[in-house]
Amino acid sequence: MPLSEPSSRNHKHTRQIFCQGFERDDGLWDIEATLTDDKTHSYVNHDRGEIPAGEPVHLMQVRIALDLDLVIHEIETCTDFTPFRLCQRAKTAMDGLVGLQIGPGWMREARSRVPVTEACTHLFELLGPLATTAYQTMHWAIEARDSKQKDRTPPKILDTCVSLQRHTTVVKAEWPEFAKDKTNKHEP
């Protein structure tokens, strides 16, 4: 079902975030994210001069290479379009994320490793979509590996949304060994 009919309006700005996940031949996984911002009107920028309508204000990419434990082994950034020349300096700051594991609290740790004054807000904005794309890309490989463990721990995805609460039919079907009966009668 689509959104409701909007009020009368004028389109001014578009932000697109595009993500892809790849299994590499060496056992790692590449996750890539691209952020593009553009305007529907031309405007003057003191660093770039006139930016024509449709030309990106931002065009940035991040690629991370992960193992099945979601540990970052490599990171690469590319900033083809930025509003200011100084923005280019932020690219190497993201190198501080190598060795970081994606999981609970990882964004807080990422921010502690990369000083905000050395970073780029927009490159950091891509970390959230990169993390969810990594999980979507690698989920079945992680499940296949973990299902072979003798003392398996519950998947970290359990109890993270309405469908993945331990008492739902989804969890009972996918992870019956970790399903629980509903204890609160007021819960859905």
Side-chain angles (χ1 to χ4, degrees):
M1 173 189 283
L3 294 173
S4 63
E5 187 68 27
S7 299
S8 179
R9 60 193 187 172
N10 283 319
H11 182 200
K12 298 290 187 181
H13 180 85
T14 299
R15 168 166 286 183
Q16 296 179 42
I17 295 176
F18 179 74
C19 300
Q20 292 182 293
F22 304 89
E23 183 177 7
R24 291 175 25 167
D25 293 340
D26 64 1
L28 294 177
W29 299 76
D30 277 348
I31 311 299
E32 297 178 357
T34 302
L35 179 145
T36 307
D37 279 327
D38 60 63
K39 307 280 185 207
T40 60
H41 57 279
S42 299
Y43 70 100
V44 176
N45 171 285
H46 80 274
D47 235 17
R48 285 177 45 188
E50 181 173 338
I51 299 177
E55 180 175 291
V57 178
H58 298 104
L59 176 53
M60 304 174 160
Q61 295 177 290
V62 177
R63 177 189 301 134
I64 56 175
L66 303 166
D67 61 25
L68 284 178
D69 291 320
L70 299 174
V71 174
I72 298 172
H73 288 255
E74 302 166 5
I75 188 164
E76 180 181 351
T77 63
C78 177
T79 54
D80 290 331
F81 286 92
T82 60
F84 312 110
R85 286 185 292 274
L86 286 175
C87 296
Q88 295 293 328
R89 293 186 354 200
K91 293 189 313 186
T92 57
M94 301 296 276
D95 293 345
L97 301 181
V98 172
L100 183 60
Q101 182 178 36
I102 295 174
W106 90 283
M107 286 298 294
R108 183 175 40 255
E109 178 63 21
R111 292 198 183 282
S112 76
R113 289 180 178 212
V114 181
V116 68
T117 56
E118 300 295 321
C120 169
T121 299
H122 306 310
L123 292 175
F124 256 94
E125 286 178 29
L126 288 174
L127 295 180
L130 279 167
T132 56
T133 302
Y135 187 79
Q136 291 295 322
T137 301
M138 301 165 64
H139 171 72
W140 295 113
I142 293 169
E143 279 293 308
R145 179 199 63 186
D146 292 353
S147 68
K148 296 173 187 167
Q149 293 177 356
K150 183 178 179 184
D151 296 323
R152 184 174 182 198
T153 59
K156 293 177 183 178
I157 196 170
L158 297 185
D159 294 323
T160 61
C161 73
V162 67
S163 295
L164 297 175
Q165 296 175 74
R166 290 183 192 229
H167 68 269
T168 64
T169 57
V170 173
V171 173
K172 289 176 183 173
E174 296 290 329
W175 302 280
E177 69 273 30
F178 301 114
K180 293 183 179 177
D181 290 330
K182 189 173 179 179
T183 56
N184 185 341
K185 294 179 184 176
H186 300 291
E187 291 180 7

